[in-house]
Amino acid sequence: MYLRVMQILDGVLVSAHIKEQIKHEVNEWQTNGGKKPHLAAILVGNNPASEAYVGSKVKHCEELGFDSTLLRFEKDITESFLISEVERLNNDDTIDGILVQLPLPGHISGDSVINAISPGKDVDGFHPISLGKMLLGQPTFLPATPYGIMLMLEYYKIDTAGMHCVIIGRSNIVGTPMTILMSRASNPGNATVTMCHSKTKNLKEITLTADIIIAAIGRPKYVTADMVKPGAIIIDVGINRIDDPTKKSGSRLVGDVDFDNVAPLCSYITPVPKGVGLMTICGLMKNTLLAAKQAKELIG
Ligand code: NDP
């Protein structure tokens, strides 16, 4: 019988710890003549969730002693205009990192815009060069959410070597890079990884064999208690808004995991909110600091 007490993987605690480290590093960097890291964020349109994410990233820049520039554009701008703005930021030596908040309006190709970002400023880690280097295990900007999850596992000293890690979701920004990081020869990592998606047959049979489940699906409370092996580690990436008449706003955020029923079963679990979302910001901020340091090396 499984007796270990369940532990919350606390995004507030871990992100506070990492942010202190970043602040310290920025101070040291500036004391030695480095300039403040500078993040430029591009927001197209006024999707409320995107507004909230970008707002939080800009706020974190202030908190950590970074400069930030927010460029807002109407949703009907053209793809070529947006790419010209990215190129302008690429050529601006005062900018270290560029992020384009996704999703973009349907008439703009996210791939084309991401491809236009200079790889040296790709702090979201979505550029093909960043992803290719990650695949090969070369130093690069890791995609912010998978990077944040690795930082979380590292903080709690969770030894994932030899574990069966089931990742649900195969997006380019979460699921797919997560499979690479969890399977590579590193700690955390060294896991045996299975990737699942909407065409996977017998998902429950697979998840029941998982020592770790990483859910990045975008479906509220999709992973239920009957899908989880007792003692499993649960990383919930999902951010879904559901109706809740008991809240003043009429809604609340939940993850892809049915937290209330799954939590008592497992060894570790991330909550939503206050879990992976905060770690994503840490990944982004660490990448931006790295970009500033690398730019100094390149530019002198
Ligand atoms: P995508 O919509 O790009 O990908 C979702 C994936 O889930 C797809 O691969 C899809 O499969 C798979 N899927 C959908 N339905 C099922 C199903 N019934 N069974 C198995 N797999 C299924 O989403 P993202 O990766 O961008 O985001 C996932 C979630 O994570 C969202 O809630 C998003 O808001 C959240 N998110 C949170 C972040 C954070 O910082 N916490 C950062 C980024 C995202 P298929 O490929 O076959 O369609």
Side-chain angles (χ1 to χ4, degrees):
M1 194 178 148
Y2 180 70
L3 289 173
R4 192 185 185 290
V5 176
M6 181 274 289
Q7 187 174 353
I8 296 283
L9 298 173
D10 183 349
V12 176
L13 175 84
V14 186
S15 66
H17 172 79
I18 290 174
K19 285 192 285 187
E20 277 313 307
Q21 284 179 338
I22 296 174
K23 275 190 218 168
H24 178 76
E25 222 180 300
V26 172
N27 270 336
E28 211 172 52
W29 170 245
Q30 285 189 270
T31 308
N32 293 325
K35 73 165 186 63
K36 277 186 178 188
H38 188 169
L39 176 69
I42 295 181
L43 178 62
V44 181
N46 47 11
N47 173 309
S50 295
E51 297 237 10
Y53 294 144
V54 168
S56 169
K57 289 165 188 173
V58 168
K59 215 174 93 216
H60 275 85
C61 283
E62 276 166 32
E63 184 189 336
L64 298 180
F66 291 15
D67 282 328
S68 66
T69 298
L70 173 58
L71 288 98
R72 300 192 61 136
F73 300 113
E74 297 295 331
K75 66 174 184 304
D76 56 2
I77 58 161
T78 63
E79 182 178 304
S80 58
F81 173 76
L82 184 54
I83 289 177
S84 69
E85 283 298 299
V86 169
E87 284 165 352
R88 188 175 62 74
L89 296 170
N90 286 342
N91 294 324
D92 182 342
D93 287 345
T94 68
I95 302 288
D96 299 302
I98 302 169
L99 84 82
V100 178
Q101 186 64 44
L102 301 175
L104 290 167
H107 66 284
I108 300 178
S109 155
D111 282 351
S112 303
V113 175
I114 299 299
N115 289 357
I117 297 174
S118 163
K121 298 189 180 189
D122 174 39
V123 289
D124 253 339
F126 296 162
H127 191 281
I129 291 203
S130 306
L131 289 168
K133 285 186 171 178
M134 181 197 69
L135 184 68
L136 298 171
Q138 296 175 11
T140 189
F141 302 114
L142 298 178
T145 301
Y147 187 15
I149 291 170
M150 298 306 271
L151 292 170
M152 172 83 97
L153 293 170
E154 192 179 301
Y155 178 88
Y156 282 96
K157 299 188 171 51
I158 296 175
D159 183 1
T160 57
M163 286 189 176
H164 182 208
C165 176
V166 172
I167 295 168
I168 317 176
R170 57 179 164 185
S171 71
N172 290 339
I173 62 171
V174 189
T176 296
M178 206 65 243
T179 62
I180 305 300
L181 295 178
M182 286 304 290
S183 59
R184 77 182 184 187
S186 63
N187 186 21
N190 278 321
T192 304
V193 173
T194 302
M195 181 202 267
C196 300
H197 44 74
S198 68
K199 304 293 183 290
T200 297
K201 288 183 180 153
N202 308 326
L203 181 64
K204 181 176 156 183
E205 255 171 48
I206 298 170
T207 57
L208 278 171
T209 68
D211 303 305
I212 311 177
I213 297 175
I214 302 179
I217 313 166
R219 288 178 176 241
K221 304 185 186 185
Y222 191 78
V223 177
T224 46
D226 60 329
M227 296 168 73
V228 175
K229 179 171 81 172
I233 298 163
I234 308 291
I235 308 291
D236 190 353
V237 183
I239 301 178
N240 309 288
R241 188 163 286 282
I242 60 164
D243 292 342
D244 184 346
T246 69
K247 300 281 173 200
K248 211 166 133 195
S249 63
S251 67
R252 72 187 159 99
L253 294 180
V254 296
D256 288 344
V257 176
D258 178 8
F259 182 90
D260 292 343
N261 294 306
V262 170
L265 265 180
C266 50
S267 55
Y268 297 94
I269 186 166
T270 60
V272 177
K274 300 185 178 171
V276 172
L278 296 172
M279 300 310 301
T280 296
I281 303 237
C282 288
L284 173 70
M285 295 297 152
K286 279 179 80 81
N287 280 342
T288 306
L289 177 54
L290 178 66
K293 291 185 168 180
Q294 285 180 350
K296 173 97 170 120
E297 277 167 24
L298 291 175
I299 298 164

